[in-house]
Amino acid sequence: MDGKSYTPGGDFLSTMKWYSKYPGISCQFVPCEYATPDHSVLSRFQLNYYLWWRKKLKEGVFMKTSPGYVWLRVCELINVEDPGEGLRELELFRMNAGSCGLSPDDIEKTAADLSIKGNLDLPCGLYGKDPVMRSMALSETLVYPVRTDSPVRIMYLAGTSETPDRRTVSVFFQALKGLESAFLKRNGKGIGKTFESGTEARTICLFEKFPYFGERYCRVTFSTYSSELKKFASDLLKWSSGGGPGAEFLSTYGEILKEIRLHPVNETLPEPSERGTIREFCTEEEWRKNKSSGNAREELKETLDDLVRSGKDPEKTLSQLYEIYLNQTKERQKKLAGNVCADYALARHLPVPEPGLVRNREEACIYFEHFLRGNRKAKPDRDMFLELAPGIGETAAGLFDEKAAEIVCKILSNVDNERLKNKWIGLCGICRKFTFETTLYRGLGCETRTQIAYAGFSKNDFFAKQLGKLIEGVVTITALSSMDLPPVELEVFGIREEKLAELLVSGKVSNTLFTGPADRILFMKKPRPAKLDPEAVLQAEKDLTDVTDMLRTEDEEPAAAAEPAMTTEDGDPWQILSEKLSAGGKEYLRLSLEGTAFSSPLEKEVNDLSMDLIGDVIVENGKIIGEYRANAERLVGR
């Protein structure tokens, strides 16, 4: 969320209660510069506009606003307002999401949390693809009789991401009512009970992105369903939209559907006799103990998320994040931990623990500024210098090593000090400030969008040329020192530094300068391409073959390369996975490849086997992980 950062005080809850009855007076819009304000930080005019805007919201009118006002109102809704009122206003926010500073997914997830807090039915939504919320919504959709109040429920049932048109929605729900009655007559069960495969309990944390002062941790129990449900609903959706469902579907339900076309089901279904989910509040300890889904990557995400939110000493937290990064052995987990480590450093204005975690030129500039401002933990390496000075020659770049990079660091620190002593502008002041927009903590619960300011070293031609001159000068002086020759003149950023460079390279200082061409010294170190006679090379190869044949005994034959024997233990792990997977697991894998799978116990079956055989999960929330897609397609015979 854009705007100034502000942390509400410890009396935030009492302040919200105090202002809950104040209506405000009609006035013009007053913008709010804070992203996360409380009432005390707002000016008199901002506070009055907020209270007036809030009054109109309660009346169902959405007026012009700032993201900070929306954030403050959400805090009030989840802490001090009636949950029913909260859901009404959150729906207004969802309809005007472009003006709120909150994404529709965040608003829907907050509404779902609020319904759990207030023991209300889950409102229909996508919930940011939250797997537990989506499973709960599906379970509450399929209680008898099936709820038919929103097209989003069709998306749950059929596993589609596209919202059907109004005509399709009408036909689908008419058909669903008729089929519900047919199922009940046939087996005494509704659609939900027919396809139910069991129940699952999960622990969740409510309102993770907002300050919340109530019971935050909850254990929810919901039904799980076989993959046949999605196939049934998908075929019904095709039929409703005028497409062609499968032959098996038509042979089973065709006659019922024909009857429904002739005589639409117009009666109002009774209210469901049960909710479809069980919600019980629990302790934080139970939540922490049970929140893991068994997926190593998800466990890592939760650990990182907890650390980022902990509010402990930033430098200690960054050290812990870096330690987690170093301990990762799998590439994807290591990349995730490294990105979170770099994001935390950006958010807390700290240098990343190592230059290798820098991901782009903007971050290189930020790291470099930490170094110039005297932070001893920031030590630019060879690659970072070459990134910031892209114009140096290939020869100098090839000879520039980590030892030379350390020398450049020391010279730059001295240059900056000398410039400041002479009352010149320091190196940080040479470059203009820029900003870039980025998403921090992508994929975690604390994901946020923000703007970061940096000194534009990479966009300043003068800085890049002077840095390149310094790198080439250090390389040249190093080459001269190896031949016991004095250094060349080296002036960078207006400061003469050849004596310091020579001292750092060789430990001594000459009283003279090398007067020969420095380029020649570099050329002497440059690898020279070999010139070979093609005919001579061919003759040498022929001679080698003849000698080899002479040395071989008459009855000795060239040994054919033995192919390694393939055993079940040493064989293709994907073939073994194919043999061990159940039919349901293979079907779930096929649906995951098509993008139509919901998270289910079958996903755990697939991932448990893949962890044993491949060392990683291959499905996440009903989607095949990209790097395993080709092997998964081979496994299901696509």
Side-chain angles (χ1 to χ4, degrees):
M1 188 180 290
D2 296 336
K4 290 184 183 178
S5 178
Y6 177 80
T7 303
D11 59 348
F12 189 28
L13 179 60
S14 59
T15 305
M16 287 190 286
K17 291 179 178 178
W18 175 266
Y19 282 101
S20 62
K21 305 300 181 184
Y22 283 79
I25 301 171
S26 176
C27 61
Q28 296 296 314
F29 170 67
V30 183
C32 175
E33 69 274 25
Y34 293 98
T36 55
D38 63 10
H39 304 80
S40 65
V41 79
L42 299 179
S43 71
R44 181 161 55 92
F45 301 105
Q46 288 173 329
L47 181 58
N48 183 67
Y49 180 76
Y50 171 74
L51 297 174
W52 172 247
W53 170 79
R54 186 182 70 182
K55 178 178 182 295
K56 301 304 289 183
L57 266 182
K58 291 182 177 182
E59 296 171 359
V61 179
F62 187 88
M63 299 197 307
K64 187 175 181 180
T65 189
S66 292
Y69 293 146
V70 175
W71 184 87
L72 179 55
R73 182 55 181 157
V74 172
C75 291
E76 291 180 338
L77 293 176
I78 65 177
N79 284 289
V80 299
E81 294 284 3
D82 175 72
E85 171 63 25
L87 292 177
R88 286 191 293 274
E89 291 191 27
L90 286 170
E91 178 61 17
L92 269 180
F93 290 161
R94 191 188 64 80
M95 293 167 60
N96 297 275
S99 307
C100 285
L102 292 174
S103 70
D105 285 346
D106 284 342
I107 295 168
E108 290 172 354
K109 176 67 166 60
T110 304
D113 287 348
L114 191 58
S115 71
I116 292 173
K117 174 201 171 185
N119 200 29
L120 303 171
D121 288 341
L122 237 63
C124 288
L126 302 179
Y127 317 120
K129 299 182 179 179
D130 183 291
V132 176
M133 290 299 179
R134 290 170 71 92
S135 297
M136 289 178 66
L138 180 61
S139 186
E140 293 190 6
T141 296
L142 286 169
V143 294
Y144 178 79
V146 175
R147 287 187 169 94
T148 58
D149 57 355
S150 169
V152 177
R153 297 197 188 276
I154 298 177
M155 298 165 71
Y156 295 151
L157 291 166
T160 178
S161 58
E162 297 180 5
T163 306
D165 59 50
R166 292 177 64 183
R167 178 191 172 280
T168 301
V169 170
S170 175
V171 174
F172 183 95
F173 282 144
Q174 283 288 322
L176 204 62
K177 288 179 182 179
L179 289 170
E180 180 87 324
S181 299
F183 271 74
L184 196 64
K185 291 175 183 176
R186 179 184 300 175
N187 58 20
K189 302 177 182 178
I191 292 173
K193 290 295 182 183
T194 299
F195 291 105
E196 187 179 69
S197 59
T199 60
E200 185 174 342
R202 298 286 292 274
T203 54
I204 60 175
C205 179
L206 305 180
F207 310 116
E208 290 186 277
K209 295 188 176 182
F210 299 94
Y212 179 59
F213 300 93
E215 292 183 286
R216 188 182 284 272
Y217 306 101
C218 185
R219 180 175 56 255
V220 295
T221 305
F222 50 85
S223 297
T224 57
Y225 301 93
S226 70
S227 58
E228 291 299 314
L229 169 66
K230 192 173 294 181
K231 187 174 184 302
F232 163 80
S234 181
D235 279 338
L236 182 58
L237 182 59
K238 290 176 184 176
W239 179 85
S240 303
S241 61
E248 183 181 350
F249 176 84
L250 287 177
S251 65
T252 307
Y253 307 111
E255 292 300 320
I256 301 172
L257 294 173
K258 283 181 185 178
E259 181 65 23
I260 292 170
R261 280 199 188 278
L262 294 172
H263 306 288
V265 182
N266 294 318
E267 71 268 17
T268 302
L269 293 176
E271 282 296 312
S273 57
E274 57 185 44
R275 172 162 290 125
T277 58
I278 301 171
R279 301 95 169 264
E280 302 168 295
F281 287 103
C282 63
T283 63
E284 182 177 358
E285 289 73 22
E286 183 179 349
W287 172 70
R288 291 189 179 280
K289 181 180 177 182
N290 297 309
K291 65 180 180 177
S292 171
S293 63
N295 182 322
R297 184 174 170 82
E298 290 303 317
E299 289 179 10
L300 176 61
K301 281 184 179 181
E302 290 165 355
T303 302
L304 295 171
D305 194 66
D306 287 346
L307 266 178
V308 170
R309 295 172 186 272
S310 66
K312 296 178 181 177
D313 177 72
E315 291 193 356
K316 290 183 180 178
T317 301
L318 183 59
S319 296
Q320 289 177 281
L321 290 170
Y322 183 54
E323 187 177 351
I324 291 173
Y325 162 75
L326 293 176
N327 289 334
Q328 299 308 307
T329 56
K330 293 186 179 179
E331 184 179 347
R332 293 181 71 239
Q333 274 88 320
K334 196 172 188 73
K335 184 177 180 181
L336 170 64
N339 284 335
V340 172
C341 197
D343 287 342
Y344 188 83
L346 281 177
R348 297 292 181 166
H349 308 291
L350 297 170
V352 289
E354 65 171 62
L357 291 173
V358 170
R359 299 165 291 190
N360 50 52
R361 283 191 177 180
E362 290 82 6
E363 292 182 17
C365 291
I366 292 170
Y367 187 86
F368 199 73
E369 185 173 0
H370 282 297
F371 158 70
L372 289 177
R373 295 196 182 281
N375 192 316
R376 295 183 179 182
K377 293 183 178 180
K379 297 177 181 178
D381 62 0
R382 170 190 180 274
D383 293 338
M384 185 173 292
F385 280 124
L386 295 181
E387 180 78 15
L388 295 175
I392 70 171
E394 290 184 12
T395 305
L399 296 173
F400 184 58
D401 57 15
E402 291 299 342
K403 183 179 178 181
E406 291 180 14
I407 293 171
V408 169
C409 283
K410 293 175 180 178
I411 293 175
L412 280 172
S413 294
N414 188 65
V415 165
D416 198 39
N417 289 333
E418 290 298 320
R419 287 179 64 89
L420 293 173
K421 282 181 187 177
N422 293 335
K423 297 185 178 179
W424 297 352
I425 297 173
L427 295 183
C428 288
I430 290 175
C431 302
R432 194 159 61 87
K433 286 282 188 179
F434 296 86
T435 59
F436 71 99
E437 192 169 346
T438 186
T439 299
L440 301 180
Y441 314 123
R442 191 182 296 277
L444 302 188
C446 53
E447 179 178 318
T448 185
R449 191 83 177 160
T450 189
Q451 286 191 335
I452 306 289
Y454 68 99
F457 298 110
S458 62
K459 298 185 177 184
N460 188 298
D461 288 341
F462 171 72
F463 181 87
K465 288 176 182 177
Q466 290 293 303
L467 181 59
K469 182 180 177 181
L470 174 57
I471 291 171
E472 291 180 338
V474 169
V475 169
T476 302
I477 290 171
T478 302
L480 288 168
S481 177
S482 68
M483 291 178 277
D484 219 13
L485 293 171
V488 291
E489 179 182 325
L490 180 60
E491 181 178 326
V492 288
F493 299 104
I495 306 294
R496 290 282 295 271
E497 290 290 4
E498 63 271 3
K499 290 187 177 181
L500 176 58
E502 185 185 24
L503 179 65
L504 293 170
V505 168
S506 63
K508 64 182 181 180
V509 177
S510 304
N511 294 322
T512 58
L513 294 175
F514 181 74
T515 55
D519 289 344
R520 183 178 174 190
I521 301 301
L522 289 178
F523 180 75
M524 290 166 63
K525 288 283 186 179
K526 184 176 180 179
R528 301 183 183 183
K531 293 183 179 179
L532 300 176
D533 183 350
E535 294 183 2
V537 172
L538 291 172
Q539 184 60 42
E541 290 177 348
K542 183 177 182 301
D543 293 343
L544 178 62
T545 303
D546 292 340
V547 171
T548 304
D549 290 339
M550 289 171 61
L551 293 174
R552 184 181 293 131
T553 58
E554 291 182 359
D555 55 353
E556 180 185 4
E557 292 296 330
E563 293 186 2
M566 180 72 77
T567 67
T568 306
E569 290 76 14
D570 303 332
D572 179 2
W574 291 93
Q575 179 61 35
I576 300 171
L577 179 60
S578 175
E579 293 168 0
K580 292 191 174 184
L581 267 181
S582 66
K586 288 183 180 178
E587 175 65 13
Y588 182 79
L589 203 57
R590 185 184 66 77
L591 293 171
S592 299
L593 285 164
E594 296 172 356
T596 58
F598 275 98
S599 181
S600 82
L602 290 171
E603 181 171 315
K604 186 175 186 304
E605 176 196 334
V606 173
N607 284 335
D608 285 346
L609 283 172
S610 71
M611 283 294 292
D612 293 337
L613 296 167
I614 299 163
D616 198 2
V617 297
I618 62 175
V619 186
E620 282 187 344
N621 301 329
K623 302 288 184 184
I624 290 289
I625 295 172
E627 63 190 273
Y628 301 123
R629 188 171 189 84
N631 284 313
E633 288 178 343
R634 178 165 62 88
L635 189 151
V636 299
R638 293 185 61 181

